[in-house]
Amino acid sequence: GDTTTTADVTTLTPGTASGFPPFEYVNESGDLVGFDVDLLSAVVEQTDGYELGSWEDLAFDQLIVALDNGNIDVAAAAMTINPDRDETIDFTDPYYDANQAVLVREGGSFRPENKEDLADRPIGAQAGTTGKDQMDSLVEDGTISSSQTNTYENYVLAVQDLANGNIDAVIVDTPVAETFVANRNVVVSFTIETGEQYGFGVRENASDLQSALNEGLQAVRDDGTYADLTEQYFAS
Ligand code: GLN
């Protein structure tokens, strides 16, 4: 959306990609909610010069494009800070850590313990993600063939296909895997230690906004809001 400036306050259009619980999802009332939604709101509230406008809910692999072309001003989508993305956009300081988990059907006999055990199995991940990168690396090292890779617009669809038996595993961020385990008939079979950190994405050279968000992040850590939100969304 447009970046509107009135009386020294800049309205930011935030963007996310729902279907990634508990970071961003659409609840039973049809509202976009989640840890990222609440955290970014709290962070922006701490800033002097910015306020949040209404959210754009996009496909994850469209968020960087949307930042680039000005349709959104901040991406809050459990986005891993990595060198590839850092070439195109900038990130705030990290606000959450994750690794990758391999989900399989609950009650099934397939229980891979490592990447080799995924040999010749159809697996799935969401387009444009670090989980998809892991899936691609299994093709590169010959563990699976490219015809065994399945790419979805979001992880809810991937987990549905797993539950249906169309694929045998889904590779997804650990905190999201745990949420699916709690709500769907799937289990974590093993994890891949990737040491990822999430940041909010902003356009390159938006250094005023980047610093304001970093200060806001520090403020919500200091005042206990960050701890309250982790308690609300991740307490099991
Ligand atoms: N953290 C992962 C990534 O950045 C997945 C993010 C997502 O699917 N929303 O690619």
Side-chain angles (χ1 to χ4, degrees), residues 20 60 77-80 85 126 128-130 155 173 196 198:
F20 206 64
F60 182 76
M79 192 182 281
T80 300
R85 293 170 180 164
Q126 174 178 299
T129 60
T130 51
Y155 272 114
D173 297 31
E196 293 169 63
Y198 301 160

Side-chain angles (χ1 to χ4, degrees), residues 215-236:
E215 282 163 28
L217 265 174
Q218 191 56 54
V220 301
R221 285 183 191 275
D222 292 344
D223 75 3
T225 305
Y226 182 92
D228 290 346
L229 290 175
T230 52
E231 175 73 17
Q232 180 184 339
Y233 285 102
F234 299 100
S236 40

Side-chain angles (χ1 to χ4, degrees), residues 94-202:
Y95 67 83
Y96 208 85
D97 296 340
N99 292 295
Q100 294 295 310
V102 175
L103 286 175
V104 299
R105 277 181 297 283
E106 187 176 29
S109 57
F110 182 51
R111 284 288 182 279
E113 289 172 2
N114 50 46
K115 292 187 194 178
E116 293 71 50
D117 288 347
L118 294 171
D120 293 321
R121 294 286 184 156
I123 66 179
Q126 174 178 299
T129 60
T130 51
K132 166 78 160 56
D133 292 342
Q134 290 294 325
M135 184 167 78
D136 290 344
S137 78
L138 292 171
V139 175
E140 277 151 35
D141 67 21
T143 307
I144 60 173
S145 73
S146 58
S147 66
Q148 289 163 324
T149 65
N150 297 269
T151 306
Y152 300 86
E153 185 176 318
N154 67 59
Y155 272 114
V156 171
L157 298 173
V159 169
Q160 261 164 26
D161 239 16
L162 174 60
N164 293 341
N166 292 330
I167 55 176
D168 287 336
V170 166
I171 307 180
V172 60
D173 297 31
T174 41
V176 177
E178 278 150 27
T179 306
F180 283 127
V181 167
N183 300 308
R184 311 274 174 140
N185 296 327
V186 294
V187 293
V188 173
S189 202
F190 71 97
T191 58
I192 305 166
E193 298 297 312
T194 51
E196 293 169 63
Q197 295 190 302
Y198 301 160
F200 296 130
V202 295

